[in-house]
Amino acid sequence: MMLKKQSHLLSFSLAILISLLYSTTTTLSQLSPAAAPIQPTLPSPTTPAASPKPLVPSLPESPSDSTPDTTAVDIVGILRKAKSFNVLLRLMKTTQLINQLNSQLLTTKTGGLTILAPDDSAFSELKAGFLNSLSDGQKLELLQFHVISDYVSSSNFDILTNPVRTLAGAKPGKVELNVVSYGGSVNISTGEVNTTISGIIYTDKHLAIYKVGKVLLPMDFFSVAKAPKKGPALAPEPSALTPKAEKQKPLSPDSSDSSQAKPSNDNSSTVKINAYGKWISFFLGAVMLTSFSA
Protein backbone atom coordinates (compact mmCIF):
# COMPACT_ATOMS: atom_id res chain seq x y z
CA MET A 1 0.00 0.00 0.00
CA MET A 2 2.80 2.35 0.92
CA LEU A 3 4.67 1.53 -2.30
CA LYS A 4 1.65 2.48 -4.42
CA LYS A 5 1.37 5.83 -2.69
CA GLN A 6 5.10 6.53 -3.22
CA SER A 7 4.88 5.61 -6.90
CA HIS A 8 1.87 7.90 -7.39
CA LEU A 9 3.67 10.71 -5.58
CA LEU A 10 6.79 10.21 -7.70
CA SER A 11 4.85 10.26 -10.96
CA PHE A 12 2.98 13.37 -9.83
CA SER A 13 6.28 15.10 -9.01
CA LEU A 14 7.73 14.18 -12.39
CA ALA A 15 4.69 15.58 -14.13
CA ILE A 16 4.97 18.87 -12.24
CA LEU A 17 8.72 19.07 -13.02
CA ILE A 18 8.15 18.44 -16.74
CA SER A 19 5.44 21.10 -16.89
CA LEU A 20 7.71 23.61 -15.15
CA LEU A 21 10.53 22.89 -17.58
CA TYR A 22 8.21 23.31 -20.58
CA SER A 23 6.84 26.66 -19.35
CA THR A 24 10.34 27.98 -18.65
CA THR A 25 11.56 27.03 -22.14
CA THR A 26 8.54 28.74 -23.78
CA THR A 27 9.10 31.97 -21.80
CA LEU A 28 12.80 32.16 -22.72
CA SER A 29 12.05 31.61 -26.40
CA GLN A 30 9.57 34.50 -26.36
CA LEU A 31 11.97 36.89 -24.61
CA SER A 32 15.01 36.25 -26.87
CA PRO A 33 15.05 38.50 -30.05
CA ALA A 34 15.03 36.98 -33.46
CA ALA A 35 18.35 36.74 -35.14
CA ALA A 36 18.83 39.53 -37.68
CA PRO A 37 19.37 38.40 -41.23
CA ILE A 38 22.92 38.63 -42.44
CA GLN A 39 23.31 41.49 -44.96
CA PRO A 40 25.93 41.34 -47.70
CA THR A 41 28.92 43.66 -47.24
CA LEU A 42 28.82 46.61 -49.66
CA PRO A 43 32.00 48.29 -50.94
CA SER A 44 32.69 51.66 -49.34
CA PRO A 45 32.09 54.62 -51.68
CA THR A 46 35.19 56.29 -53.06
CA THR A 47 35.86 59.80 -51.79
CA PRO A 48 35.79 62.37 -54.64
CA ALA A 49 38.99 64.29 -55.32
CA ALA A 50 39.19 67.55 -53.45
CA SER A 51 38.68 70.68 -55.54
CA PRO A 52 41.61 73.11 -55.88
CA LYS A 53 42.01 75.41 -52.93
CA PRO A 54 40.80 78.95 -53.75
CA LEU A 55 43.48 81.60 -53.94
CA VAL A 56 41.00 84.28 -52.87
CA PRO A 57 39.39 84.23 -49.41
CA SER A 58 35.61 84.37 -49.25
CA LEU A 59 33.78 87.28 -47.66
CA PRO A 60 31.15 86.52 -44.99
CA GLU A 61 28.28 87.01 -47.44
CA SER A 62 30.00 85.29 -50.37
CA PRO A 63 28.50 82.18 -51.97
CA SER A 64 30.65 79.25 -52.97
CA ASP A 65 31.54 78.13 -56.49
CA SER A 66 28.69 75.63 -56.31
CA THR A 67 26.07 78.38 -56.53
CA PRO A 68 23.39 77.22 -58.99
CA ASP A 69 23.46 78.91 -62.37
CA THR A 70 20.69 81.38 -63.09
CA THR A 71 19.52 82.70 -66.42
CA ALA A 72 19.51 86.35 -65.32
CA VAL A 73 22.02 87.68 -62.80
CA ASP A 74 21.27 90.99 -61.10
CA ILE A 75 24.69 92.63 -60.79
CA VAL A 76 23.19 95.75 -59.21
CA GLY A 77 21.36 93.68 -56.61
CA ILE A 78 24.50 91.69 -55.80
CA LEU A 79 26.58 94.83 -55.20
CA ARG A 80 23.82 96.44 -53.17
CA LYS A 81 23.58 93.37 -50.97
CA ALA A 82 27.35 93.39 -50.48
CA LYS A 83 27.11 97.08 -49.41
CA SER A 84 29.83 99.80 -49.60
CA PHE A 85 29.84 99.80 -53.45
CA ASN A 86 27.68 102.90 -53.99
CA VAL A 87 30.23 104.87 -56.06
CA LEU A 88 30.83 101.92 -58.37
CA LEU A 89 27.09 101.41 -58.86
CA ARG A 90 26.56 105.10 -59.65
CA LEU A 91 29.33 105.07 -62.27
CA MET A 92 27.98 101.86 -63.82
CA LYS A 93 24.59 103.49 -64.28
CA THR A 94 25.81 106.87 -65.59
CA THR A 95 28.15 105.22 -68.13
CA GLN A 96 25.50 102.56 -68.97
CA LEU A 97 28.13 99.85 -68.49
CA ILE A 98 25.64 97.84 -66.46
CA ASN A 99 23.47 97.40 -69.57
CA GLN A 100 26.46 96.12 -71.54
CA LEU A 101 27.36 93.61 -68.82
CA ASN A 102 23.82 92.32 -68.41
CA SER A 103 23.34 91.82 -72.16
CA GLN A 104 26.72 90.09 -72.46
CA LEU A 105 25.84 87.68 -69.64
CA LEU A 106 22.48 86.87 -71.25
CA THR A 107 23.98 86.10 -74.66
CA THR A 108 27.10 84.25 -73.54
CA LYS A 109 27.13 80.46 -73.65
CA THR A 110 30.78 79.84 -72.81
CA GLY A 111 33.18 81.93 -70.81
CA GLY A 112 31.72 84.84 -68.91
CA LEU A 113 32.91 87.95 -67.06
CA THR A 114 35.05 88.76 -64.05
CA ILE A 115 34.48 92.08 -62.27
CA LEU A 116 37.17 93.60 -60.04
CA ALA A 117 35.11 95.84 -57.77
CA PRO A 118 36.67 98.63 -55.66
CA ASP A 119 34.54 99.69 -52.71
CA ASP A 120 33.71 103.21 -51.55
CA SER A 121 36.83 103.48 -49.38
CA ALA A 122 39.00 102.73 -52.43
CA PHE A 123 37.36 105.57 -54.38
CA SER A 124 37.84 107.92 -51.41
CA GLU A 125 41.61 107.44 -51.68
CA LEU A 126 41.67 109.05 -55.14
CA LYS A 127 42.86 112.61 -55.55
CA ALA A 128 40.14 115.14 -54.82
CA GLY A 129 38.19 115.98 -57.97
CA PHE A 130 39.79 113.20 -60.01
CA LEU A 131 36.53 111.58 -61.14
CA ASN A 132 35.00 114.95 -62.03
CA SER A 133 38.02 115.76 -64.20
CA LEU A 134 37.38 112.71 -66.41
CA SER A 135 35.24 112.86 -69.52
CA ASP A 136 32.35 110.45 -70.05
CA GLY A 137 34.53 108.35 -72.35
CA GLN A 138 37.30 108.16 -69.77
CA LYS A 139 34.86 107.14 -67.04
CA LEU A 140 33.58 104.32 -69.24
CA GLU A 141 37.14 103.22 -70.02
CA LEU A 142 37.98 103.30 -66.31
CA LEU A 143 35.11 100.95 -65.46
CA GLN A 144 35.77 98.67 -68.44
CA PHE A 145 39.35 98.36 -67.17
CA HIS A 146 37.87 96.65 -64.07
CA VAL A 147 36.15 93.90 -66.10
CA ILE A 148 38.08 90.89 -67.41
CA SER A 149 36.48 89.57 -70.59
CA ASP A 150 36.39 85.99 -69.33
CA TYR A 151 35.26 84.05 -66.28
CA VAL A 152 38.10 83.43 -63.78
CA SER A 153 37.39 81.23 -60.79
CA SER A 154 39.06 81.90 -57.45
CA SER A 155 41.54 79.06 -58.02
CA ASN A 156 42.54 79.91 -61.61
CA PHE A 157 44.26 83.28 -61.30
CA ASP A 158 47.64 81.58 -61.53
CA ILE A 159 46.96 80.37 -65.09
CA LEU A 160 46.22 83.81 -66.57
CA THR A 161 48.55 85.18 -69.24
CA ASN A 162 49.76 88.76 -68.80
CA PRO A 163 48.77 91.29 -69.83
CA VAL A 164 45.20 90.25 -69.02
CA ARG A 165 42.64 91.44 -71.56
CA THR A 166 39.84 93.64 -70.24
CA LEU A 167 36.79 95.26 -71.81
CA ALA A 168 38.84 98.45 -72.20
CA GLY A 169 40.60 96.82 -75.15
CA ALA A 170 44.23 96.24 -76.03
CA LYS A 171 46.42 99.31 -75.78
CA PRO A 172 50.00 98.17 -75.17
CA GLY A 173 51.74 100.32 -72.61
CA LYS A 174 48.56 102.28 -71.83
CA VAL A 175 45.78 99.91 -70.78
CA GLU A 176 47.48 96.82 -69.39
CA LEU A 177 46.46 94.69 -66.43
CA ASN A 178 49.01 92.28 -64.95
CA VAL A 179 47.94 89.61 -62.46
CA VAL A 180 50.41 87.64 -60.33
CA SER A 181 49.33 85.01 -57.77
CA TYR A 182 51.70 83.61 -55.18
CA GLY A 183 51.65 82.69 -51.53
CA GLY A 184 47.86 82.39 -51.46
CA SER A 185 47.26 85.97 -52.63
CA VAL A 186 46.48 87.64 -55.97
CA ASN A 187 48.32 90.87 -56.82
CA ILE A 188 47.18 93.24 -59.57
CA SER A 189 49.32 95.92 -61.21
CA THR A 190 48.42 98.56 -63.81
CA GLY A 191 51.74 100.43 -63.95
CA GLU A 192 50.23 103.18 -61.80
CA VAL A 193 48.49 101.15 -59.06
CA ASN A 194 49.41 97.96 -57.19
CA THR A 195 46.73 96.23 -55.14
CA THR A 196 45.39 92.81 -54.13
CA ILE A 197 42.10 90.91 -54.29
CA SER A 198 40.72 90.84 -50.77
CA GLY A 199 37.66 88.62 -51.17
CA ILE A 200 34.87 87.08 -53.24
CA ILE A 201 31.61 89.00 -53.55
CA TYR A 202 29.83 86.61 -55.92
CA THR A 203 30.66 83.70 -58.20
CA ASP A 204 28.80 81.21 -60.39
CA LYS A 205 29.57 79.47 -63.69
CA HIS A 206 29.67 82.64 -65.81
CA LEU A 207 30.15 85.59 -63.45
CA ALA A 208 32.69 86.30 -60.73
CA ILE A 209 32.88 89.53 -58.70
CA TYR A 210 35.95 90.12 -56.53
CA LYS A 211 36.73 92.95 -54.14
CA VAL A 212 39.95 94.90 -54.78
CA GLY A 213 41.67 97.29 -52.39
CA LYS A 214 42.25 100.19 -54.84
CA VAL A 215 40.78 101.74 -57.97
CA LEU A 216 42.67 100.38 -61.00
CA LEU A 217 44.01 103.42 -62.88
CA PRO A 218 45.32 102.71 -66.41
CA MET A 219 48.51 104.24 -67.73
CA ASP A 220 46.44 105.78 -70.52
CA PHE A 221 45.26 108.48 -68.11
CA PHE A 222 48.85 109.51 -67.39
CA SER A 223 50.37 109.24 -70.88
CA VAL A 224 50.75 113.04 -71.22
CA ALA A 225 53.94 113.57 -69.31
CA LYS A 226 54.94 116.92 -67.95
CA ALA A 227 57.25 118.95 -70.18
CA PRO A 228 60.87 118.70 -69.03
CA LYS A 229 62.35 121.75 -67.44
CA LYS A 230 64.60 123.79 -69.67
CA GLY A 231 68.26 123.52 -68.85
CA PRO A 232 70.84 126.28 -69.21
CA ALA A 233 71.33 127.38 -72.83
CA LEU A 234 74.50 126.07 -74.38
CA ALA A 235 76.80 128.33 -76.37
CA PRO A 236 76.51 127.72 -80.13
CA GLU A 237 79.32 125.81 -81.69
CA PRO A 238 81.56 127.95 -83.89
CA SER A 239 80.79 127.53 -87.57
CA ALA A 240 83.50 126.62 -90.02
CA LEU A 241 82.70 129.73 -92.07
CA THR A 242 82.95 132.09 -89.11
CA PRO A 243 86.32 133.84 -89.23
CA LYS A 244 88.45 133.22 -86.25
CA ALA A 245 89.35 136.20 -84.15
CA GLU A 246 92.92 137.28 -84.53
CA LYS A 247 95.07 136.68 -81.57
CA GLN A 248 96.18 139.87 -79.96
CA LYS A 249 99.86 140.26 -79.59
CA PRO A 250 101.06 140.84 -76.06
CA LEU A 251 101.73 144.47 -75.39
CA SER A 252 104.66 145.79 -73.47
CA PRO A 253 103.97 148.10 -70.55
CA ASP A 254 105.55 151.07 -72.37
CA SER A 255 103.49 150.68 -75.51
CA SER A 256 100.11 150.56 -73.76
CA ASP A 257 99.60 154.32 -73.97
CA SER A 258 100.98 154.64 -77.48
CA SER A 259 98.66 151.89 -78.75
CA GLN A 260 95.68 153.81 -77.51
CA ALA A 261 96.94 156.96 -79.33
CA LYS A 262 97.27 155.20 -82.73
CA PRO A 263 94.51 156.28 -85.12
CA SER A 264 92.49 153.74 -86.90
CA ASN A 265 92.68 153.07 -90.65
CA ASP A 266 89.78 155.45 -91.32
CA ASN A 267 91.48 158.24 -89.41
CA SER A 268 94.79 157.78 -91.32
CA SER A 269 93.04 157.96 -94.71
CA THR A 270 91.30 161.17 -93.66
CA VAL A 271 94.66 162.72 -92.71
CA LYS A 272 96.11 161.75 -96.11
CA ILE A 273 93.21 163.40 -97.99
CA ASN A 274 93.64 166.60 -96.00
CA ALA A 275 97.37 166.71 -96.85
CA TYR A 276 96.67 166.26 -100.57
CA GLY A 277 94.12 169.07 -100.44
CA LYS A 278 96.64 171.45 -98.91
CA TRP A 279 99.21 170.76 -101.65
CA ILE A 280 96.63 171.30 -104.37
CA SER A 281 95.51 174.54 -102.82
CA PHE A 282 99.13 175.73 -102.51
CA PHE A 283 99.80 174.85 -106.18
CA LEU A 284 96.71 176.62 -107.43
CA GLY A 285 97.59 179.69 -105.37
CA ALA A 286 101.09 179.81 -106.87
CA VAL A 287 99.70 179.54 -110.40
CA MET A 288 97.28 182.36 -109.77
CA LEU A 289 100.01 184.63 -108.35
CA THR A 290 102.21 183.97 -111.36
CA SER A 291 99.41 184.85 -113.73
CA PHE A 292 98.65 188.08 -111.90
CA SER A 293 102.30 189.15 -111.83
CA ALA A 294 102.66 188.56 -115.57
Side-chain angles (χ1 to χ4, degrees), residues 137-158:
Q138 288 177 322
K139 290 179 182 178
L140 178 60
E141 181 181 351
L142 177 64
L143 293 185
Q144 289 175 335
F145 193 51
H146 289 73
V147 182
I148 300 175
S149 53
D150 199 0
Y151 170 74
V152 183
S153 66
S154 59
S155 57
N156 288 342
F157 278 98
D158 54 347

Side-chain angles (χ1 to χ4, degrees), residues 81-109:
K81 185 178 179 181
K83 299 179 181 180
S84 71
F85 291 93
N86 298 319
V87 179
L88 180 62
L89 284 172
R90 186 177 71 249
L91 290 174
M92 281 186 169
K93 292 179 180 179
T94 55
T95 59
Q96 298 183 355
L97 177 65
I98 190 65
N99 298 333
Q100 176 186 352
L101 298 180
N102 287 333
S103 61
Q104 190 166 344
L105 286 174
L106 289 174
T107 56
T108 186
K109 295 182 179 179

Side-chain angles (χ1 to χ4, degrees), residues 116-119 122 146 188 195-198 210-216:
L116 305 174
D119 59 2
H146 289 73
I188 301 177
T195 186
T196 58
I197 295 179
S198 55
Y210 301 100
K211 180 181 178 182
V212 292
K214 292 182 180 180
V215 179
L216 306 178

Side-chain angles (χ1 to χ4, degrees), residues 23-271:
S23 62
T24 303
T25 304
T26 304
T27 304
L28 290 176
S29 63
Q30 292 176 353
L31 293 177
S32 61
I38 300 174
Q39 296 181 353
T41 304
L42 298 176
S44 58
T46 57
T47 304
S51 58
K53 185 179 180 182
L55 296 173
V56 182
S58 297
L59 298 179
E61 67 274 9
S62 305
S64 63
D65 287 342
S66 60
T67 304
D69 187 17
T70 56
T71 55
V73 179
D74 184 10
I75 298 176
V76 174
I78 293 171
L79 292 176
R80 280 179 179 171
K81 185 178 179 181
K83 299 179 181 180
S84 71
F85 291 93
N86 298 319
V87 179
L88 180 62
L89 284 172
R90 186 177 71 249
L91 290 174
M92 281 186 169
K93 292 179 180 179
T94 55
T95 59
Q96 298 183 355
L97 177 65
I98 190 65
N99 298 333
Q100 176 186 352
L101 298 180
N102 287 333
S103 61
Q104 190 166 344
L105 286 174
L106 289 174
T107 56
T108 186
K109 295 182 179 179
T110 59
L113 295 174
T114 301
I115 302 176
L116 305 174
D119 59 2
D120 295 338
S121 62
F123 279 99
S124 65
E125 295 179 1
L126 295 175
K127 186 179 178 181
F130 175 78
L131 291 178
N132 294 331
S133 66
L134 300 178
S135 64
D136 293 340
Q138 288 177 322
K139 290 179 182 178
L140 178 60
E141 181 181 351
L142 177 64
L143 293 185
Q144 289 175 335
F145 193 51
H146 289 73
V147 182
I148 300 175
S149 53
D150 199 0
Y151 170 74
V152 183
S153 66
S154 59
S155 57
N156 288 342
F157 278 98
D158 54 347
I159 65 174
L160 292 178
T161 302
N162 292 319
V164 179
R165 186 177 179 84
T166 65
L167 293 186
K171 297 180 181 179
K174 293 184 179 181
V175 183
E176 288 188 355
L177 192 70
N178 295 296
V179 179
V180 178
S181 62
Y182 65 93
S185 64
V186 179
N187 291 0
I188 301 177
S189 175
T190 68
E192 283 290 332
V193 175
N194 294 318
T195 186
T196 58
I197 295 179
S198 55
I200 303 173
I201 301 173
Y202 177 86
T203 180
D204 58 25
K205 295 181 180 179
H206 298 292
L207 174 66
I209 306 178
Y210 301 100
K211 180 181 178 182
V212 292
K214 292 182 180 180
V215 179
L216 306 178
L217 301 177
M219 288 286 292
D220 191 20
F221 289 178
F222 305 91
S223 59
V224 180
K226 296 181 179 179
K229 296 181 179 180
K230 294 183 179 181
L234 300 177
E237 296 182 358
S239 174
L241 300 177
T242 304
K244 296 182 179 179
E246 296 181 357
K247 294 183 180 180
Q248 296 181 354
K249 296 181 180 180
L251 302 177
S252 59
D254 297 338
S255 61
S256 59
D257 295 336
S258 61
S259 62
Q260 295 178 358
K262 287 183 178 180
S264 61
N265 294 334
D266 295 339
N267 294 335
S268 61
S269 60
T270 304
V271 172

